[in-house]
Amino acid sequence: MELKIAVLPGDGIGPEVMAATLPILGKTLEVFGHRLEYSTHAVGGAGIDQFGKALPDETLAACDAADAILFGSVGGPKWANLPRNEQPERGALLPLRKHFELFANVRPGLLFPSLSASSPIAPSRIPDGIDMVCIRELTGGIYFGHKETRTLPNGETEAIDTMTYRTSEILRITDVAIATARARSRKTICLVDKSNVLDTSVLWNKVVRERVAQVAPDVTLTHLLVDNAAMQLVANPGQFDVLLTENMFGDILSDEMAIVCGSLGMLSSASLGARKNRHGFAFGLYEPSGGSAPDIAGKQIANPCAQILSAALMLRHSFGLDKEAAMIEKAVRKTVDAGVRTGDIAFGGKAVSTLQMSAAIFENLTK
Ligand code: NAD
Ligand code: IPM
Ligand code: MN
């Protein structure tokens, strides 16, 4: 198979973790006799610096022509004072998600048993480990509703962000959650909303309940209000199988899920829509769930696992290459199990650099 990938390293630790990922992706595809054709493009702050625009035209054109996008992360203090819509996040990442209508963000929360000491949750609270997945709606809600900042007659400034959802947006993400649940042993979806306060949540609640009842009697649906869900995620994270929620709740809860599973540096993600690539698989954007981590950027200490595991998700979702994806995932697990750790998961023990972590995973691919 020929895989055409647009590689967008972005800012901060993005280029470091991307450089740690490409050899692993290349080797895996070589072992299985596939052809990797990738090109690298500026995005975010790097796009602003090189082309005066967070999402340069040539970058968008390359994404359009690719089978999938492998994305690092964008943003940082250098660009934080630009007009909001020109900043890396609102000028590149959100427009990319919207352009390709990548409405389903899949974030797997898996606690490797060997990493349980890195979780802030006491082992006694997670006797059976954590194996959950957060399905986050990604192109609707408060991120994309009407926004306005205006001056009131009394001279005060008022800022407005509007959360909107329509039935079709909720239905399509519910279907992703159902398919995800069906592929898992517990087949349980927990819908998280704020239906005691928000009209959008009342609609979510109605639409999800009706959809699951109609098309998925084999799937169990449970429900938590978002404040309770945030608490349950630390009190008893093992209870979750598939967590389904709207855009902003999913953003917040998935960072919480990440640390409960050891580190934000371990959390990969796939952003998928209806568009298919040349091979008939889902076109997608694959990125670590964490950001550009300006506090550690340039130091070669970032954990590359989230980026590497995102590449594995890409092989699975955008190319149907399950064996190849599993090869990468096994190598990551083997490396972490062997005690090779970046600082975020070293838990006081010896920490290796980003590239040393990558080299160890590379070695374990074929061992
Ligand atoms: P962040 O996710 O960048 O960092 C939060 C904390 O987690 C930091 O202490 C950081 O060092 C740590 N961390 C994150 N990834 C890590 C890794 N791979 N290895 C080790 N430690 C890691 O969040 P932030 O500091 O709030 O945001 C920084 C910038 O990143 C902002 O501009 C934000 O908008 C942007 N951001 C971008 C994306 C993206 O491009 N997908 C996602 C989140 C945040
Ligand atoms: C994420 C990030 C983004 C989001 C930001 C950078 C716009 O936090 O992917 O989780 O909020 O979706
Ligand atoms: Mn986030």
Side-chain angles (χ1 to χ4, degrees), residues 136-358:
R136 168 189 176 196
E137 200 290 325
L138 201 62
T139 50
I142 201 164
Y143 277 57
F144 293 96
H146 171 72
K147 290 174 187 293
E148 198 180 333
T149 302
R150 63 190 181 196
T151 307
L152 298 176
N154 71 358
E156 267 199 290
T157 305
E158 183 175 69
I160 301 168
D161 293 289
T162 320
M163 189 187 282
T164 59
Y165 270 109
R166 54 181 66 179
T167 309
S168 55
E169 291 174 298
I170 303 169
L171 279 176
R172 64 186 182 176
I173 189 75
T174 303
D175 288 345
V176 172
I178 290 172
T180 306
R182 280 191 167 140
R184 299 167 61 87
S185 60
R186 286 185 278 175
K187 297 187 177 27
T188 300
I189 298 173
C190 178
L191 169 65
V192 173
D193 64 33
K194 188 73 184 172
S195 48
N196 51 349
V197 175
L198 301 178
D199 278 15
T200 44
S201 283
V202 172
L203 184 64
W204 266 79
N205 207 286
K206 179 175 182 297
V207 171
V208 173
R209 281 180 199 281
E210 287 176 1
R211 186 63 153 196
V212 173
Q214 261 170 23
V215 306
D218 52 321
V219 169
T220 306
L221 179 67
T222 64
H223 170 254
L224 287 175
L225 296 171
V226 64
D227 45 354
N228 186 14
M231 186 274 282
Q232 296 288 337
L233 204 45
V234 291
N236 178 14
Q239 72 183 282
F240 292 101
D241 182 18
V242 177
L243 190 161
L244 167 64
T245 194
E246 67 88 42
N247 202 343
M248 186 169 63
F249 297 160
D251 178 42
I252 298 167
L253 292 177
S254 60
D255 266 37
E256 191 187 354
M257 176 184 78
I259 191 66
V260 161
C261 292
S263 172
L264 194 49
M266 295 297 296
L267 182 56
S268 56
S269 88
S271 302
L272 308 165
R275 179 178 164 133
K276 299 272 184 268
N277 62 23
R278 291 180 303 158
H279 303 289
F281 291 101
F283 177 88
L285 182 152
Y286 301 86
E287 58 171 332
S289 299
S292 55
D295 53 335
I296 59 166
K299 297 184 181 163
Q300 272 297 321
I301 58 173
N303 187 341
C305 289
Q307 187 78 66
I308 293 166
L309 293 169
S310 297
L313 286 179
M314 176 180 80
L315 296 183
R316 184 167 281 127
H317 290 285
S318 283
F319 301 97
L321 298 177
D322 291 341
K323 281 201 298 281
E324 292 79 346
M327 183 171 173
I328 294 179
E329 288 160 354
K330 272 190 205 135
V332 169
R333 187 186 281 241
K334 201 168 172 186
T335 306
V336 169
D337 285 354
V340 184
R341 312 274 171 87
T342 43
D344 57 314
I345 50 173
F347 206 55
K350 182 178 176 298
V352 302
S353 73
T354 305
L355 285 176
Q356 284 169 330
M357 186 82 196
S358 163

Side-chain angles (χ1 to χ4, degrees), residues 3-7 22-23 25-26 35-41:
L3 298 82
K4 195 169 177 194
I5 317 286
V7 173
L22 293 173
L25 179 62
R35 214 167 84 78
L36 172 64
E37 193 192 305
Y38 76 86
S39 55
T40 305
H41 305 275

